[in-house]
Amino acid sequence: MKGKGNVIFCGVGGQGILLASELTSLALLAAGFDVKKSEVHGMAQRGGSVVAHLRYGRKVFSPLIENGAADVVVSFELVESLRYLSFMNRKTKLIVNSQRIFPPSVATGLERYPEGVLERFHELGVPLFPVDALEVATSLGEVRALNMVLVGALSNFVPVDEDDFFGVISGKVPEKLLEVNWQAFSEGRRVVEKALMKA
Protein backbone atom coordinates (compact mmCIF):
# COMPACT_ATOMS: atom_id res chain seq x y z
CA MET A 1 0.00 0.00 0.00
CA LYS A 2 1.53 3.28 -1.11
CA GLY A 3 0.16 6.74 -1.57
CA LYS A 4 -2.22 9.21 -0.08
CA GLY A 5 -4.77 11.55 -1.53
CA ASN A 6 -7.62 14.00 -1.17
CA VAL A 7 -10.78 13.66 -3.25
CA ILE A 8 -13.81 15.98 -3.38
CA PHE A 9 -17.15 14.80 -4.75
CA CYS A 10 -19.57 17.64 -5.51
CA GLY A 11 -22.85 18.24 -7.31
CA VAL A 12 -26.52 18.59 -6.42
CA GLY A 13 -28.95 16.43 -4.52
CA GLY A 14 -30.23 13.29 -6.25
CA GLN A 15 -27.13 12.55 -8.35
CA GLY A 16 -25.80 9.69 -6.22
CA ILE A 17 -22.83 11.66 -4.90
CA LEU A 18 -22.87 10.16 -1.42
CA LEU A 19 -23.08 6.59 -2.74
CA ALA A 20 -20.16 7.32 -5.08
CA SER A 21 -18.06 8.60 -2.19
CA GLU A 22 -19.06 5.62 -0.04
CA LEU A 23 -18.12 3.10 -2.74
CA THR A 24 -14.76 4.80 -3.27
CA SER A 25 -14.12 4.82 0.49
CA LEU A 26 -14.93 1.12 0.76
CA ALA A 27 -12.69 0.27 -2.20
CA LEU A 28 -9.80 2.20 -0.63
CA LEU A 29 -10.38 0.43 2.69
CA ALA A 30 -10.37 -2.92 0.86
CA ALA A 31 -7.02 -1.92 -0.66
CA GLY A 32 -5.60 -1.41 2.85
CA PHE A 33 -5.79 2.38 3.26
CA ASP A 34 -7.02 4.36 6.22
CA VAL A 35 -9.93 6.51 5.01
CA LYS A 36 -11.80 9.47 6.49
CA LYS A 37 -14.87 11.02 4.87
CA SER A 38 -17.12 13.99 5.57
CA GLU A 39 -20.42 14.98 3.88
CA VAL A 40 -22.52 18.13 3.65
CA HIS A 41 -25.98 17.72 2.16
CA GLY A 42 -28.33 20.10 3.95
CA MET A 43 -30.73 20.85 1.09
CA ALA A 44 -29.98 17.79 -1.00
CA GLN A 45 -33.60 16.78 -1.59
CA ARG A 46 -34.40 20.22 -3.06
CA GLY A 47 -31.59 20.20 -5.58
CA GLY A 48 -29.14 21.95 -3.27
CA SER A 49 -25.40 21.50 -3.27
CA VAL A 50 -23.90 18.29 -1.96
CA VAL A 51 -20.22 17.77 -1.20
CA ALA A 52 -18.18 14.93 0.27
CA HIS A 53 -14.54 15.15 1.30
CA LEU A 54 -12.55 11.90 1.20
CA ARG A 55 -8.97 11.53 2.42
CA TYR A 56 -6.90 8.34 2.32
CA GLY A 57 -3.39 7.26 3.25
CA ARG A 58 -1.46 5.10 5.72
CA LYS A 59 -3.04 7.06 8.59
CA VAL A 60 -5.53 9.92 8.23
CA PHE A 61 -6.40 12.15 11.18
CA SER A 62 -8.98 14.53 9.70
CA PRO A 63 -11.65 14.09 7.01
CA LEU A 64 -11.57 17.72 5.85
CA ILE A 65 -9.48 18.88 2.90
CA GLU A 66 -7.74 22.24 3.13
CA ASN A 67 -8.04 24.91 0.44
CA GLY A 68 -5.73 24.16 -2.47
CA ALA A 69 -5.09 20.58 -1.34
CA ALA A 70 -7.48 18.47 -3.47
CA ASP A 71 -5.76 15.89 -5.68
CA VAL A 72 -8.98 15.07 -7.54
CA VAL A 73 -12.33 16.87 -7.74
CA VAL A 74 -15.25 14.91 -9.19
CA SER A 75 -18.01 17.37 -10.11
CA PHE A 76 -21.34 15.76 -10.93
CA GLU A 77 -22.74 19.02 -12.36
CA LEU A 78 -20.95 21.49 -14.60
CA VAL A 79 -21.22 24.75 -12.71
CA GLU A 80 -20.87 23.14 -9.28
CA SER A 81 -17.20 22.62 -10.18
CA LEU A 82 -16.67 26.40 -9.84
CA ARG A 83 -17.97 26.34 -6.26
CA TYR A 84 -14.96 24.22 -5.21
CA LEU A 85 -12.30 26.10 -7.15
CA SER A 86 -10.59 27.19 -3.91
CA PHE A 87 -9.75 23.55 -3.13
CA MET A 88 -7.88 23.08 -6.43
CA ASN A 89 -4.33 23.73 -7.53
CA ARG A 90 -2.58 23.36 -10.88
CA LYS A 91 -2.07 19.61 -10.28
CA THR A 92 -5.66 18.86 -9.25
CA LYS A 93 -7.40 16.53 -11.69
CA LEU A 94 -10.91 17.83 -12.36
CA ILE A 95 -13.37 15.21 -13.58
CA VAL A 96 -16.47 17.12 -14.56
CA ASN A 97 -19.81 15.82 -15.75
CA SER A 98 -20.98 18.09 -18.57
CA GLN A 99 -24.60 17.88 -17.41
CA ARG A 100 -26.27 21.21 -16.59
CA ILE A 101 -28.93 21.28 -13.87
CA PHE A 102 -30.64 24.64 -13.62
CA PRO A 103 -31.22 25.95 -10.09
CA PRO A 104 -34.64 27.55 -9.41
CA SER A 105 -33.31 31.07 -10.01
CA VAL A 106 -32.22 30.07 -13.53
CA ALA A 107 -35.29 27.93 -14.25
CA THR A 108 -37.56 30.87 -13.39
CA GLY A 109 -35.56 33.31 -15.51
CA LEU A 110 -34.22 35.47 -12.67
CA GLU A 111 -30.60 34.57 -13.44
CA ARG A 112 -28.59 33.08 -16.28
CA TYR A 113 -26.66 29.84 -16.14
CA PRO A 114 -22.92 30.69 -16.24
CA GLU A 115 -21.19 30.20 -19.58
CA GLY A 116 -17.57 29.30 -20.27
CA VAL A 117 -17.07 27.04 -17.24
CA LEU A 118 -14.64 24.65 -18.93
CA GLU A 119 -12.79 27.54 -20.58
CA ARG A 120 -12.23 29.07 -17.14
CA PHE A 121 -10.50 25.91 -15.94
CA HIS A 122 -8.44 25.74 -19.14
CA GLU A 123 -7.26 29.30 -18.50
CA LEU A 124 -6.30 28.39 -14.93
CA GLY A 125 -4.29 25.37 -16.14
CA VAL A 126 -6.27 22.81 -14.13
CA PRO A 127 -5.99 19.31 -15.69
CA LEU A 128 -9.52 18.76 -16.97
CA PHE A 129 -11.37 15.52 -17.79
CA PRO A 130 -14.88 16.24 -19.11
CA VAL A 131 -17.23 13.24 -19.05
CA ASP A 132 -20.78 13.22 -20.39
CA ALA A 133 -21.88 10.83 -17.66
CA LEU A 134 -25.59 11.36 -18.27
CA GLU A 135 -25.24 10.43 -21.95
CA VAL A 136 -23.19 7.31 -21.07
CA ALA A 137 -25.69 6.19 -18.43
CA THR A 138 -28.63 6.90 -20.74
CA SER A 139 -27.02 4.87 -23.54
CA LEU A 140 -26.79 1.93 -21.12
CA GLY A 141 -30.50 2.26 -20.32
CA GLU A 142 -30.05 3.28 -16.67
CA VAL A 143 -29.71 7.00 -15.93
CA ARG A 144 -29.28 6.24 -12.23
CA ALA A 145 -25.87 4.74 -13.10
CA LEU A 146 -24.55 8.26 -13.77
CA ASN A 147 -22.66 8.17 -10.49
CA MET A 148 -21.02 4.86 -11.42
CA VAL A 149 -19.72 6.41 -14.66
CA LEU A 150 -17.98 9.06 -12.58
CA VAL A 151 -16.61 6.53 -10.06
CA GLY A 152 -15.14 4.66 -13.03
CA ALA A 153 -13.57 7.89 -14.29
CA LEU A 154 -12.13 8.55 -10.81
CA SER A 155 -10.72 5.02 -10.59
CA ASN A 156 -7.89 6.12 -12.91
CA PHE A 157 -6.52 8.35 -10.14
CA VAL A 158 -6.83 6.25 -6.97
CA PRO A 159 -4.59 3.26 -6.11
CA VAL A 160 -7.33 0.63 -6.14
CA ASP A 161 -7.61 -2.43 -8.38
CA GLU A 162 -10.73 -2.86 -10.47
CA ASP A 163 -11.38 -6.10 -8.54
CA ASP A 164 -11.65 -4.13 -5.29
CA PHE A 165 -14.11 -1.73 -6.89
CA PHE A 166 -16.09 -4.63 -8.30
CA GLY A 167 -16.22 -6.25 -4.87
CA VAL A 168 -17.67 -3.20 -3.15
CA ILE A 169 -20.07 -2.40 -6.01
CA SER A 170 -21.33 -6.00 -5.87
CA GLY A 171 -21.98 -5.58 -2.17
CA LYS A 172 -23.94 -2.31 -2.51
CA VAL A 173 -25.89 -2.55 -5.77
CA PRO A 174 -28.91 -4.87 -6.18
CA GLU A 175 -27.99 -7.94 -8.20
CA LYS A 176 -30.39 -7.10 -11.04
CA LEU A 177 -28.60 -3.75 -11.55
CA LEU A 178 -25.06 -5.02 -11.08
CA GLU A 179 -24.24 -5.60 -14.74
CA VAL A 180 -25.38 -2.17 -15.93
CA ASN A 181 -23.56 -0.47 -13.06
CA TRP A 182 -20.37 -2.32 -13.87
CA GLN A 183 -20.74 -1.34 -17.53
CA ALA A 184 -21.16 2.27 -16.44
CA PHE A 185 -18.03 2.04 -14.27
CA SER A 186 -16.05 0.53 -17.16
CA GLU A 187 -17.24 3.19 -19.63
CA GLY A 188 -16.32 6.02 -17.26
CA ARG A 189 -12.90 4.48 -16.68
CA ARG A 190 -12.38 4.14 -20.43
CA VAL A 191 -13.26 7.80 -21.17
CA VAL A 192 -10.53 9.07 -18.86
CA GLU A 193 -8.03 6.38 -19.94
CA LYS A 194 -8.50 7.57 -23.51
CA ALA A 195 -7.94 11.20 -22.50
CA LEU A 196 -4.79 10.25 -20.56
CA MET A 197 -3.36 8.43 -23.59
CA LYS A 198 -3.81 11.58 -25.69
CA ALA A 199 -2.15 13.81 -23.08
Side-chain angles (χ1 to χ4, degrees), residues 152-190:
L154 170 64
S155 71
N156 288 281
F157 301 116
V158 291
V160 178
D161 294 336
E162 282 187 77
D163 287 345
D164 285 332
F165 270 109
F166 186 71
V168 298
I169 292 170
S170 300
K172 286 289 182 182
V173 172
E175 189 174 345
K176 64 181 180 182
L177 296 174
L178 183 56
E179 183 176 345
V180 71
N181 275 278
W182 188 243
Q183 287 176 336
F185 177 97
S186 299
E187 283 298 312
R189 184 176 175 90
R190 187 187 60 78

Side-chain angles (χ1 to χ4, degrees), residues 9 12-23 76 144 146-148 151:
F9 300 79
V12 300
Q15 292 188 290
I17 296 163
L18 301 183
L19 177 59
S21 65
E22 181 182 354
L23 291 172
F76 284 56
R144 292 175 296 178
L146 176 148
N147 60 347
M148 214 59 72
V151 172

Side-chain angles (χ1 to χ4, degrees), residues 16 28 30 33 38-39 47 80 103 109 125 136 138 156 186:
L28 285 160
F33 290 95
S38 175
E39 305 166 351
E80 283 294 314
V136 172
T138 301
N156 288 281
S186 299

Side-chain angles (χ1 to χ4, degrees), residues 12-132:
V12 300
Q15 292 188 290
I17 296 163
L18 301 183
L19 177 59
S21 65
E22 181 182 354
L23 291 172
T24 305
S25 295
L26 292 172
L28 285 160
L29 286 168
F33 290 95
D34 185 27
V35 179
K36 295 285 188 299
K37 187 166 75 80
S38 175
E39 305 166 351
V40 176
H41 46 94
M43 297 292 285
Q45 292 184 345
R46 296 185 181 181
S49 292
V50 175
V51 62
H53 288 208
L54 184 159
R55 302 186 68 220
Y56 67 90
R58 184 175 297 277
K59 184 65 181 172
V60 179
F61 296 98
S62 169
L64 297 179
I65 299 170
E66 296 179 7
N67 280 349
D71 297 296
V72 185
V73 173
V74 185
S75 182
F76 284 56
E77 199 275 341
L78 183 63
V79 82
E80 283 294 314
S81 57
L82 288 173
R83 192 186 302 274
Y84 300 93
L85 184 58
S86 65
F87 290 93
M88 302 181 205
N89 59 62
R90 287 180 179 269
K91 293 183 179 177
T92 302
K93 278 77 174 174
L94 173 58
I95 298 167
V96 58
N97 180 18
S98 54
Q99 182 181 7
R100 297 175 178 208
I101 299 175
F102 293 167
S105 60
V106 172
T108 57
L110 293 175
E111 296 182 75
R112 296 180 64 183
Y113 192 91
E115 296 294 332
V117 174
L118 297 183
E119 289 78 3
R120 174 90 186 273
F121 286 110
H122 278 302
E123 290 169 5
L124 294 171
V126 175
L128 188 61
F129 299 89
V131 179
D132 192 342

